[in-house]
C-alpha cells in the first residue's frame, strides 16, 4: 500500500439520490488507472453512512471487479459491532481483501469497550481489519498492544493527528503492524506523520485530481521531505487554500470533493443528506483553486 496514495473513491448517485452503479464503475476504473496503492470503497469519502446494505454490496462488488486483483480493496464497515459484522459478511462475499472499521456510532466508550468492539467484529469475519481512530475513538498504547494481538487486526488508520500519541502507538506496535495517515486532507500533515514512522496516507484529492495527488506523492517520496520546492509549492498554493475552503461548512470534506469531481466531468452525482452541496460562491472559489492546482502540475480542468 505504500507504493502510491490510497484511493477513497466517491460513491456515485443519480440526481434523484439513487445509486448510480455505472457511474461508480467508471469512477473506480479511472481511479485505478492512475496507480493508487489501494482502493477503499464505501468509506467516509464514499458516504458509507448513507448506504443501505444492497447499495453497499453493489459498491464493493464493483470495486472488486474493477480492481481484478491488481491492488487491494479495503471496504469500510461501521456502526455497532453487530451491524459492522453484517457489512463485513457482505464485503467478504463480494471479494474484498480487507476491512476498514470506521468509528462506531454516537456514544463515547472506554478503552475496554473499544478493544471489545474489534474483538467482536474479528470473531465474525475472516478478513483482515484496519481500525480507524477518529472522533470518539482514540486508542492508548496499552490498548494498541491488545488490538494488535487480535488475530486479524493488521493496522490502524489515524485521524486525530496527535503526533505524540501516534508516536507512542507506533512504538507499542509489532513491527509488521500497519499505520496510515487518515487526517482530513492528509497531505497537509504527510511530512509530520512520516517523521513518526507513518508514511502511507489517504488522499481525498486523488478522487478528483489524481494528477495533483500523484505529483505531491512523488515530490514527497523523491525529496528529503523538509524543503522540497515542489512539496512546498503544492502545499502553499493548493492544499492549504483547499483546507481553508473545506473548513467553511461542515461536511465540505466530502461535498467539495464531489463537486470538484463533477467539475472534472466525473460521473459521481450529488451528495446525499445530511450533506449539502457547496454554495455558488464556494463552488466558484473551488473552480478557481482547482484550475490553479492543476496548472501547478501541468494539467488542465
Amino acid at each position: 500500500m505504500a507504493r502510491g496514495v490510497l484511493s477513497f473513491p466517491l460513491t456515485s448517485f443519480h440526481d434523484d439520490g439513487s445509486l448510480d452503479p455505472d457511474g461508480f464503475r467508471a469512477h473506480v476504473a479511472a481511479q485505478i488507472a492512475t496507480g493508487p496503492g489501494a482502493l477503499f470503497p464505501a468509506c467516509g469519502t464514499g458516504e458509507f453512512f448513507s448506504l443501505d446494505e444492497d447499495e453497499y454490496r453493489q459498491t464493493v462488488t464493483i470495486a472488486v471487479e474493477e480492481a481484478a486483483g491488481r491492488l487491494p480493496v479495503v471496504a469500510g464497515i461501521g456502526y455497532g459491532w453487530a451491524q459492522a459484522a453484517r457489512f463485513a459478511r457482505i464485503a467478504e462475499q463480494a471479494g474484498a481483501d480487507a476491512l476498514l472499521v470506521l468509528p462506531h456510532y454516537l456514544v463515547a466508550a472506554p478503552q475496554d469497550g473499544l478493544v471489545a468492539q474489534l474483538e467482536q467484529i474479528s470473531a465474525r469475519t475472516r478478513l483482515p481489519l484496519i481500525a480507524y481512530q477518529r472522533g470518539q475513538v482514540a486508542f492508548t498504547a496499552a490498548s494498541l498492544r491488545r488490538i494488535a494481538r487480535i488475530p486479524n487486526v493488521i493496522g490502524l488508520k489515524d485521524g486525530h493527528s496527535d503526533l505524540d500519541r501516534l508516536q507512542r502507538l507506533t512504538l507499542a506496535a509489532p513491527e509488521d503492524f500497519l499505520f496510515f495517515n487518515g487526517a482530513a486532507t492528509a497531505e497537509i500533515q504527510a511530512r509530520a506523520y512520516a517523521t513518526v514512522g507513518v508514511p502511507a496516507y489517504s488522499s481525498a484529492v486523488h478522487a478528483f485530481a489524481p494528477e495533483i495527488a500523484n505529483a505531491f506523492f512523488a515530490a514527497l517520496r523523491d525529496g528529503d521531505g523538509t524543503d522540497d520546492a515542489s512539496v512546498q509549492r503544492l502545499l502553499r498554493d493548493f492544499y492549504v487554500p483547499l483546507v481553508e475552503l473545506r473548513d467553511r461548512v461542515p461536511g465540505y470534506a466530502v461535498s467539495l470533493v464531489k463537486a470538484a469531481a463533477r467539475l472534472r466531468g466525473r460521473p459521481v452525482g450529488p451528495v446525499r443528506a445530511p450533506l449539502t452541496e457547496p454554495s455558488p460562491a464556494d463552488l466558484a472559489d473551488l473552480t478557481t483553486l482547482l484550475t490553479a492546482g492543476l496548472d501547478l502540475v501541468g494539467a488542465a480542468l
Side-chain angles (χ1 to χ4, degrees):
M1 291 189 189
R3 72 181 186 186
V5 297
L6 306 180
S7 169
F8 283 67
L10 300 155
T11 300
S12 300
F13 300 121
H14 293 293
D15 287 342
D16 65 0
S18 61
L19 185 70
D20 178 7
D22 293 337
F24 181 68
R25 185 179 295 276
H27 173 57
V28 167
Q31 287 281 285
I32 292 172
T34 62
L39 195 69
F40 287 70
C43 294
T45 305
E47 297 179 79
F48 166 79
F49 51 84
S50 75
L51 300 176
D52 66 27
E53 291 185 10
D54 182 61
E55 292 168 334
Y56 177 83
R57 184 187 303 276
Q58 292 183 66
T59 299
V60 178
T61 298
I62 290 169
V64 170
E65 290 173 350
E66 291 300 315
R70 292 174 290 173
L71 74 170
V73 175
V74 185
I77 61 172
Y79 306 115
W81 64 257
Q83 286 180 285
R86 289 175 64 91
F87 282 104
R89 285 193 293 273
I90 294 170
E92 190 170 336
Q93 293 164 1
D97 298 296
L99 302 168
L100 178 65
V101 183
L102 303 173
H104 63 269
Y105 173 67
L106 190 60
V107 297
Q111 292 294 307
D112 285 347
L114 298 181
V115 174
Q117 165 89 338
L118 290 171
E119 289 174 336
Q120 293 287 349
I121 297 170
S122 173
R124 290 163 174 80
T125 182
R126 296 175 298 173
L127 293 181
L129 302 175
I130 298 169
Y132 188 4
Q133 64 169 18
R134 187 170 183 167
Q136 70 268 35
V137 177
F139 294 101
T140 63
S143 294
L144 190 283
R145 295 187 187 96
R146 293 172 64 190
I147 68 172
R149 291 195 294 268
I150 300 172
N152 51 343
V153 174
I154 64 168
L156 177 74
K157 181 182 179 185
D158 175 72
H160 285 296
S161 303
D162 181 339
L163 295 183
D164 177 87
R165 174 189 288 266
L166 186 58
Q167 182 70 90
R168 295 168 190 269
L169 296 180
T170 61
L171 293 173
E175 288 188 7
D176 60 349
F177 200 77
L178 305 176
F179 284 92
F180 306 95
N181 168 3
T185 315
E187 286 90 345
I188 291 287
Q189 301 184 63
R191 292 184 296 186
Y193 269 81
T195 65
V196 295
V198 184
Y201 63 88
S202 58
S203 175
V205 170
H206 191 274
F208 65 86
E211 304 97 326
I212 298 174
N214 287 337
F216 182 89
F217 180 85
L220 191 67
R221 178 192 59 201
D222 297 339
D224 65 11
T226 56
D227 61 357
D228 181 81
S230 296
V231 171
Q232 292 292 94
R233 183 170 59 252
L234 286 166
L235 286 172
R236 181 184 61 246
D237 297 338
F238 177 74
Y239 282 101
V240 169
L242 179 65
V243 168
E244 291 171 350
L245 180 56
R246 181 201 70 199
D247 289 347
R248 290 181 187 177
V249 177
Y252 266 17
V254 177
S255 301
L256 283 180
V257 174
K258 265 202 163 173
R262 293 196 302 270
L263 288 172
R264 305 290 312 279
R266 308 295 190 256
V268 297
V271 293
R272 277 181 172 174
L275 300 180
T276 59
E277 295 297 330
S279 69
D282 290 343
L283 185 59
D285 288 345
L286 175 64
T287 304
T288 299
L289 177 59
L290 178 55
T291 301
L294 291 167
D295 185 63
L296 288 172
V297 297
L301 186 62

